[in-house]
Amino acid sequence: MTTMQFKPGMQEQLIVFTDSPDAGDPGCFCSYCVEMIEEDDTPLRLFIPRSAQHPGGAEYRLHFSCASQVCEWKSAARFTEGRKVEGNNG
Ligand SMILES: [Zn+2]
């Protein structure tokens, strides 16, 4: 199981959306780079609980690639590169 958190100072830079269009919708922008999110992308949606400020709830939407700029994942599992060990017969 992984948990995700914003990198320091990043959350303040993100645009909060109170709508939630599907990827590929002309109104579906990224909270970080403000570019449209294409239909074949898989945006990361971070839902913000309802509050006085956002009575209908809200969300951050991020391109999958932008999410790695904005967030960091804490995971017990270590990601290992599929590095091929070359034969080294002196
Ligand atoms: Zn983006």
Side-chain angles (χ1 to χ4, degrees), residues 5 16 20 24 28 39 48 53 70 76 78 83 85:
Q5 63 185 42
V16 175
S20 187
C28 189
E39 193 173 358
I48 302 166
Q53 195 180 355
V70 172
R78 196 182 305 162
R83 193 180 302 161
V85 179

Side-chain angles (χ1 to χ4, degrees), residues 30-35 37 62-63 65-66:
C30 175
S31 290
Y32 180 62
C33 70
V34 206
E35 297 285 330
I37 298 174
L62 296 163
H63 289 111
S65 57
C66 287

Side-chain angles (χ1 to χ4, degrees), residues 39-82:
E39 193 173 358
D40 60 356
D41 200 341
T42 305
L44 189 77
R45 294 175 193 264
L46 303 165
F47 296 100
I48 302 166
R50 293 169 190 231
S51 65
Q53 195 180 355
H54 303 295
E59 70 176 24
Y60 300 108
R61 281 195 297 276
L62 296 163
H63 289 111
F64 196 78
S65 57
C66 287
S68 64
Q69 307 288 319
V70 172
C71 311
E72 53 193 359
W73 278 264
K74 304 283 185 185
S75 176
R78 196 182 305 162
F79 293 101
T80 52
E81 289 180 48

